[in-house]
Amino acid sequence: MAFTIDLAGKTAVITGSNSGIGLGMAWELARAGADIVLNSFTDNEEDHAIADEIAKETGVTARYIQADMSKGDQCRRLITEAGRCDILVNNAGIQHVAPIPDFPANKWDAIIAINMSSAFHTTAVALPKMRMQGWGRVINVASAHGLTASPYKSAYVAAKHGIVGLTKVTALETAEEPITANAICPGYVLTPIVEKQIPDTMKEYDMSREDVIQNVMLKRQPSKEFATVEQMGGTAAFLCSDAAAQITGTTISVDGGWTAL
Ligand code: NAD
């Protein structure tokens, strides 16, 4: 039997998907036939225009729903407003880099809320829908930092380890149903979240931009290359295929060998 990825008739809701990895996943899931719900906390014309472009290029239905993933009630509203939710991608994330004694408490709270607690709220509303629809995929975007740590990223590492734990619990609670839950753990992908870390890391290590890229970021990525948003999208699409039906409760590293070190 040949496995194909045909997501026609399914709806994918991707949090934090007006840029970067979330957007790359939206494109790939749309190419596989899924209708798309994009999300971020803004409500700009450009946000809706991205949805229109995906719909025009791929022929699926795509729309944008504004909801702030730092707020539990808005996370829940997103899934309610989406209507169908066959594929839930918890991707929204932010970063802040500082040593623990200097780490602002409000940044800690925001990172835990957006990078981890949002997935709890969206999953809580999505699972009953998946059960009713008889099929579901929960894909949590964790990180190599969900499996290992780096200095100065206390909140991020804690949140990403936390979402890996939530992924396992989600998988166990759905294990006997046609629903899977997995975490994708990217290494460094050159997206706006990474671009924004470069100045802070330059300051932290007193290094040039090129030094930070080669000797801090890609130092731990043995391939010495950034992973791409298209590769993240392809991995998400694979997790939605029948070939992946028995893959649940695990992490898939897309990190150029980082976690093999
Ligand atoms: P990005 O900054 O391009 O994307 C983050 C997305 O989250 C954006 O769409 C942003 O609008 C959205 N977002 C931020 N705050 C939000 C909020 N309060 N409510 C709703 N949406 C919000 O960065 P990215 O690299 O594409 O990151 C996506 C995910 O991938 C994050 O969870 C990140 O931790 C993870 N990740 C990224 C890398 C990397 O190297 N880029 C590596 C590992 C994991």
Side-chain angles (χ1 to χ4, degrees):
M1 170 184 167
F3 288 108
T4 51
I5 307 179
D6 179 7
L7 302 178
K10 311 258 194 265
T11 296
V13 183
I14 305 131
T15 72
S17 47
N18 64 351
S19 83
I21 291 171
L23 183 54
M25 288 181 167
W27 272 106
E28 223 40 54
L29 294 172
R31 287 189 189 108
D35 292 325
I36 300 296
V37 175
L38 297 174
N39 153 265
S40 185
F41 60 94
T42 51
D43 199 10
N44 300 323
E45 246 172 60
E46 303 89 78
D47 297 324
H48 296 272
I50 299 171
D52 294 344
E53 193 192 344
I54 291 176
K56 189 165 152 243
E57 290 294 317
T58 64
V60 303
T61 302
R63 64 209 163 98
Y64 177 87
I65 299 178
Q66 183 278 342
D68 183 346
M69 293 299 105
S70 71
K71 308 210 160 52
D73 57 341
Q74 297 198 26
C75 299
R76 287 169 186 262
R77 173 178 58 78
L78 168 66
I79 306 304
T80 304
E81 250 185 75
R84 278 193 83 94
C85 179
D86 306 275
I87 300 161
L88 169 63
V89 183
N90 288 303
N91 168 76
I94 58 166
Q95 175 64 287
H96 187 79
V97 179
I100 293 172
D102 306 328
F103 208 95
N106 64 343
K107 292 278 185 204
W108 169 275
D109 290 343
I111 290 173
I112 298 296
I114 296 168
N115 296 21
M116 186 181 74
S117 302
S118 66
F120 159 70
H121 293 293
T122 55
T123 303
V125 183
L127 283 184
K129 292 188 181 209
M130 291 175 180
R131 287 182 168 131
M132 221 169 60
Q133 291 156 191
W135 188 92
R137 294 286 184 268
V138 179
I139 300 171
N140 292 327
V141 180
S143 167
H145 281 118
L147 304 167
T148 63
S150 294
Y152 315 126
K153 295 185 177 176
S154 53
Y156 188 86
V157 169
K160 293 300 186 182
H161 276 68
I163 203 168
V164 168
L166 175 66
T167 305
K168 293 177 185 175
V169 175
T170 309
L172 291 180
E173 290 189 13
T174 56
E176 294 184 27
E177 303 170 79
I179 297 172
T180 68
N182 293 287
I184 296 177
C185 293
Y188 273 110
V189 187
L190 194 55
T191 62
I193 202 175
V194 168
E195 198 53 61
K196 273 182 239 147
Q197 285 174 60
I198 296 176
D200 284 344
T201 315
M202 283 167 67
K203 213 160 59 186
E204 215 47 77
Y205 290 94
D206 192 22
M207 279 180 172
S208 70
R209 180 185 161 85
E210 207 35 47
D211 271 353
V212 164
I213 290 176
Q214 282 305 321
N215 301 322
V216 179
M217 293 180 160
L218 296 182
K219 181 175 173 210
R220 290 173 70 181
Q221 197 142 309
S223 65
K224 295 289 169 215
E225 281 181 32
F226 284 111
T228 67
V229 299
E230 290 78 11
Q231 289 160 356
M232 300 306 148
T235 306
F238 163 70
L239 284 173
C240 295
S241 73
D242 290 342
Q246 284 298 316
I247 300 177
T248 195
T250 195
T251 56
I252 299 197
S253 292
V254 188
D255 66 2
W258 178 330
T259 42
L261 278 175

